[in-house]
Amino acid sequence: MEKKSIGKKIIEQITGIFSPVINIITATSIMKGLMILLVTTGVLTTNNGIYRIFYAASDGLFYFLPFFLAFTASKQWKTDTFTSLLIPVAMLYPDIVDVLENGNGSMTFLGLNVPSTVYHSSVLPVLFAVGLLVFIEKLWDKVLPESIKGFSKPILCSIIVLPITFLVFGPLGMLIGDALTKVFFTLYNFSPIVAGLFMGFFIQPMVVVGAHWSIVPVCINNIANNGFDVILPLLGAAVYGQAGAALCIGLFTPKKKENIEKRRIAFQAALAAALGVTEPALFGVNVARPRAMITACIAGSIGGAIVGIAGTHCYSFAFPSFITSVAYVGPGFAVFLGSMVLGFVISVGLMFAQRKYFIE
């Protein structure tokens, strides 16, 4: 039997966790994109009940993503599902969100300060926590008598896992994002072109670990204080780089009966990315294929550099896509639109140049 490398094992674990939710992520991505499009074109308003209900369902899935990941991770790693779900319950409990995300007060645990952290839509904290739960459950399985294990094991596991989640795992994701954001502004002050290269390449890997949310308050603050933001325009090509790579994977996968599901996921993921949501393309297709992931990041990097040259601004917060492009209208707008097309074209071109590596 062939011995699997650590990298391959990690990829298999990631695929096992994200594959079960790819279809619903794709569906809600399309729903969200359509709602934004209807509002942008004036068909609906944000106060309309149609928009509010369907946007709540689509955006809500991403907000409560830790619940879905806790569930699938528990199945993948054979932990107790309900104990696993207790972790995101605590992470997204309104009082916790009010303090740690909204900054209304502070919190300590046994004298230790609990750092402010964004838990909604996050990936790493809940996966780290469920991963730790695997070992903690095994520990208590060995020492607890069967007569009390049913109710005592969840309590004892929670006593260990939850504090570590809030004190260590949660801040870790924010730390990564904050560090990358600081690097960005250092680069942007040095050269917008270099900043475009950097953000265009790394933004989608940041999405994979949930660190991209760290730039959201920075972008919003820029718009509030300056009337515009320079970060968001640099990210458009990266979105369509992922779309191009996912599309090619679907095209390269042979039309065999056993590949029907793989092809369908790839094409759906490409469509979702074209609507501005890359999670299906990342977790369902490209992350499991490092060469495709790097190709998409290179395409995003080139497009980001071009936008850096043009100095495109974003005037109201909206993650970049053709659907939300109205927020980017101004100097450099045409270059911004062109960069997204270019990101897609470069990604597809590079994928075709190395297609022999992807034909299964």
Side-chain angles (χ1 to χ4, degrees):
M1 181 181 292
E2 181 185 355
K3 189 175 181 180
K4 296 179 181 178
S5 65
I6 294 176
K8 191 169 184 179
K9 289 179 180 177
I10 292 174
I11 288 172
E12 285 182 353
Q13 293 299 314
I14 292 173
T15 302
I17 291 168
F18 284 95
S19 290
V21 295
I22 288 301
N23 285 336
I24 191 63
I25 288 178
T26 304
T28 52
S29 299
I30 295 171
M31 188 189 304
K32 185 176 182 180
L34 289 174
M35 290 301 105
I36 293 173
L37 179 61
L38 290 173
V39 168
T40 302
T41 56
V43 176
L44 296 176
T45 67
T46 55
N47 292 324
N48 187 287
I50 296 174
Y51 170 84
R52 296 177 79 167
I53 289 172
F54 287 106
Y55 190 85
S58 56
D59 192 56
L61 181 139
F62 291 97
Y63 187 95
F64 294 109
L65 185 62
F67 282 95
F68 291 83
L69 298 183
F71 179 83
T72 57
S74 73
K75 298 298 184 183
Q76 179 73 15
W77 294 334
K78 312 300 181 188
T79 62
D80 181 75
T81 299
F82 295 105
T83 306
S84 299
L85 286 170
L86 191 62
I87 297 166
V89 164
M91 289 164 55
L92 296 175
Y93 186 71
D95 178 61
I96 296 294
V97 171
D98 193 46
V99 174
L100 298 186
E101 291 196 24
N102 300 334
N104 294 324
S106 59
M107 186 168 68
T108 61
F109 181 85
L110 297 179
L112 298 173
N113 181 58
V114 180
S116 297
T117 306
V118 175
Y119 286 107
H120 75 268
S121 307
S122 62
V123 174
L124 280 184
V126 71
L127 294 184
F128 283 154
V130 177
L132 175 61
L133 184 62
V134 173
F135 300 99
I136 303 302
E137 282 191 340
K138 288 179 180 179
L139 172 66
W140 292 123
D141 278 333
K142 292 178 181 179
V143 300
L144 290 174
E146 289 295 330
S147 58
I148 64 169
K149 186 181 294 184
F151 68 88
S152 61
K153 188 170 75 169
I155 296 173
L156 294 171
C157 286
S158 299
I159 288 173
I160 297 173
V161 173
L162 287 177
I164 293 176
T165 299
F166 283 102
L167 292 170
V168 180
F169 297 151
L172 182 61
M174 291 295 291
L175 206 62
I176 295 171
D178 289 343
L180 290 172
T181 302
K182 289 178 181 177
V183 170
F184 164 78
F185 278 110
T186 300
L187 291 175
Y188 195 87
N189 291 331
F190 171 72
S191 168
I193 301 173
V194 175
L197 285 168
F198 176 82
M199 289 302 294
F201 189 92
F202 285 105
I203 185 60
Q204 293 304 316
M206 287 172 69
V207 173
V208 172
V209 300
H212 65 301
W213 292 106
S214 65
I215 71 171
V216 171
V218 177
C219 297
I220 292 174
N221 185 68
N222 288 342
I223 294 170
N225 292 337
N226 305 322
F228 63 87
D229 172 65
V230 295
I231 301 177
L232 289 169
L234 304 177
L235 314 181
V239 172
Y240 289 88
Q242 295 295 328
L247 176 64
C248 288
I249 294 298
L251 294 173
F252 297 157
T253 303
K255 296 180 181 179
K256 297 179 181 178
K257 187 176 181 180
E258 62 268 24
N259 290 333
I260 291 176
E261 182 68 9
K262 290 181 182 179
R263 286 169 56 83
R264 184 180 61 77
I265 288 175
F267 290 137
Q268 287 182 349
L271 175 60
L275 293 172
V277 181
T278 56
E279 280 84 353
L282 290 168
F283 300 123
V285 185
N286 296 338
V287 168
R289 299 168 177 85
R291 189 180 289 270
M293 184 69 183
I294 293 172
T295 296
C297 290
I298 290 172
S301 185
I302 295 171
I306 292 172
V307 174
I309 295 172
T312 308
H313 293 168
C314 177
Y315 297 95
S316 63
F317 184 85
F319 281 118
S321 72
F322 283 105
I323 290 175
T324 60
S325 59
V326 66
Y328 298 79
V329 174
F333 177 63
V335 175
F336 169 70
L337 295 179
S339 74
M340 292 189 287
V341 174
L342 185 63
F344 180 83
V345 171
I346 291 175
S347 180
V348 170
L350 291 176
M351 289 291 288
F352 267 90
Q354 50 186 336
R355 60 187 177 277
K356 66 179 181 180
Y357 296 105
F358 300 104
I359 296 176
E360 299 178 8

